[in-house]
Amino acid sequence: MSPAIRAKGAGKKAFINARLLDPVKQTDETGGLLIEDDTIAKSGPDITEGTVPDGFEVIDLGGACLAPGLVDMRAQLREPGFEHQETIETAGKSAAIGGVTTIIALPNTDPVIDDVAGVEFIARRARKVGLAKVFVYGAVSKGIEGQEITEMGLLHQAGAVAFCDGIKTIASARLLRQALSYSTFFDGMIVQHPEEPELSKGASMNSGELATRLGLSGVSPLAEVIQIERDLRLVEMTGGRLHFAHISTGESVEVIRKAKKRGLKVTCDTAPPYFALNENAVSDYRTFAKLSPPLRSEDDRQAIVAGLADGTIDAIASDHNPQDADSKRLPFAQAAAGAVGFETLLPMALELYHNGHMSLLDVITKLTRTPAELVRIKGAGTLAEGTAADLVIFDPDRPWKIDPYQFHSKSKNSPFDGRLTQGRVLRTLIDGREVFSEGA
């Protein structure tokens, strides 16, 4: 049977015989969880079939994993302005299948989310759709044009959880210094796309021997680390919180590792392509693997894995960047960069566990608790009593051959097309409501 996207009522549910993964308590144990209406009433090893109170629907998970719903801190939902590529509803359906219950959306829509009205629009639309909980980044600059700073304080009060200029680098040192300084008044976080614009202009892929052989313009990995090194000076100057998105190179990992040891308020994330693929994925001009930043060398890929394992890289995000078919069916140099990320986020992250690089609990922590803490979303990424029952139930060993044409996103492009993986979401719950159930 095909997967069902639905919103089945909450009520009282008891999940038993589960492998409970609690990233806050840092526990991985057999147990159960009780839901009353929209919140978690209790979880732990003492919840068994014999201890469930009367009035609860008992669901035996048969040893499947139960964890907080995934918190995806970098996604493009395309609404408003680019609904032919994605909408909040289609993104919500795709997220539900991927176990994502909380999304932080980039502000590069049309119009740009650079005022209170934009923040409120996304909140209203997400509530109406009733799938994933959607928060937004406010734009750092008006129109994401990199010139004039937005009213960040007002955006923060309206609900913006952090600030960035979407897929654009905040190139102006003056603007970034302003934003970092201003954000300290409300403990805000600035998110940077670390790519020096002049060095990356017109580039299609990672520079090197492969780019030369394919006849494509390449961007040096140094374009990423140069931007990071400049921005770290501004963190030192202002004391602000700066987060680097989707880092992709070994040198970036090393520079950030050293900055953390010096006590700077710097964090970072990466996305599955950068620890699961290398530049060889584009060797046949495969536009599905054209991303921004581009796929890097095998040495860089291994360094990203090491950075995740040792904690230098704080979180894993989907980098969901849906493109319509016409944008991808072009010569490589002209094709748009980006790929669908929600439905492959968990199985690709689980490769870190299956390959012995990280424990299952550590992988889940980077997908749940840590991103929630970075953007200061309370009650997400936890199994704590009294918090929203936003949950994912999954089988970490279930085999799956990735087929983008089965995605529920409007976009059907993925660099993982045809890849054999392990790990499938069985159920997704938001506020105790079942929004996805495999085979239902």
Side-chain angles (χ1 to χ4, degrees), residues 4-11 13 37 57 59 130-131 427-437 440:
I5 304 292
R6 60 184 186 173
K8 189 176 179 181
K13 293 187 178 77
D37 296 323
E57 176 191 0
I59 303 161
L131 292 168
R427 300 176 188 232
T428 303
L429 292 90
I430 296 175
D431 290 329
R433 297 175 297 113
E434 196 170 87
V435 295
F436 167 71
S437 178

Side-chain angles (χ1 to χ4, degrees), residues 120-392:
E120 292 176 343
F121 170 81
I122 299 297
R124 284 196 307 273
R125 283 287 295 134
R127 285 196 299 269
K128 183 177 180 180
V129 168
L131 292 168
K133 295 175 179 177
V134 179
F135 297 84
V136 296
Y137 292 107
V140 169
S141 66
K142 293 183 179 179
I144 58 172
E145 294 176 352
Q147 300 298 319
E148 185 179 354
I149 196 167
T150 57
E151 294 284 354
M152 290 172 55
L154 293 178
L155 289 169
H156 172 71
Q157 290 174 8
V161 296
F163 299 87
C164 69
D165 266 357
I167 59 175
K168 291 184 177 181
T169 304
I170 306 168
S172 166
R174 173 193 57 79
L175 178 65
L176 183 55
R177 181 192 62 79
Q178 268 187 299
L180 286 167
S181 296
Y182 191 30
S183 66
T184 61
F185 290 103
F186 49 86
D187 191 33
M189 184 174 76
I190 309 300
V191 178
Q192 175 71 296
H193 168 70
E195 191 173 57
E196 207 291 318
E198 289 299 315
L199 291 177
S200 58
K201 187 179 295 183
S204 299
M205 63 172 293
N206 189 49
S207 64
E209 180 184 342
L210 182 58
T212 301
R213 191 166 75 245
L214 295 175
L216 295 170
S217 60
V219 55
S220 169
L222 291 176
E224 182 170 292
V225 72
I226 286 171
Q227 190 68 51
I228 290 173
E229 288 177 325
R230 185 210 72 170
D231 294 349
L232 289 174
R233 295 290 186 180
L234 297 175
V235 174
E236 288 182 298
M237 181 187 298
T238 61
R241 292 174 60 215
L242 183 61
H243 180 89
F244 294 108
H246 50 207
I247 67 167
S248 64
T249 77
E251 287 203 55
S252 298
V253 174
E254 184 57 29
V255 167
I256 292 169
R257 184 181 288 123
K258 290 178 179 177
K260 287 186 170 189
K261 288 179 180 178
R262 300 204 321 266
L264 295 184
K265 295 179 182 178
V266 57
T267 52
C268 63
D269 69 69
T270 193
Y274 305 113
F275 59 77
L277 296 171
N278 62 33
E279 61 188 345
N280 290 326
V282 304
S283 58
D284 56 354
Y285 300 95
R286 189 164 168 264
T287 60
F288 276 14
K290 183 178 181 180
L291 306 171
S292 176
L295 296 173
R296 305 292 189 180
S297 70
E298 176 60 14
D299 286 344
D300 285 318
R301 187 196 70 80
Q302 292 183 20
I304 295 296
V305 171
L308 285 162
D310 71 13
T312 300
I313 300 175
D314 301 272
I316 300 171
S318 75
D319 214 2
H320 182 76
N321 183 359
Q323 300 290 345
D324 58 272
D326 289 343
S327 298
K328 283 291 186 178
R329 290 173 182 164
L330 292 170
F332 195 91
Q334 284 81 51
V340 173
F342 291 139
E343 294 174 53
T344 56
L345 176 59
L346 181 60
M348 294 314 303
L350 288 175
E351 287 195 359
L352 295 164
Y353 160 64
H354 289 300
N355 293 334
H357 300 298
M358 298 171 64
S359 71
L360 181 56
L361 184 60
D362 285 344
V363 172
I364 293 301
T365 299
K366 289 186 186 296
L367 292 166
T368 57
R369 188 194 83 188
T370 304
E373 290 177 347
L374 287 172
V375 295
R376 306 293 197 254
I377 297 176
K378 294 181 179 179
T382 177
L383 298 181
E385 180 179 337
T387 58
D390 298 341
L391 306 168
V392 60

Side-chain angles (χ1 to χ4, degrees), residues 24-36:
V24 174
K25 293 181 181 177
Q26 284 292 286
T27 53
D28 178 350
E29 59 192 356
T30 300
L33 181 142
L34 303 179
I35 296 174
E36 288 197 56

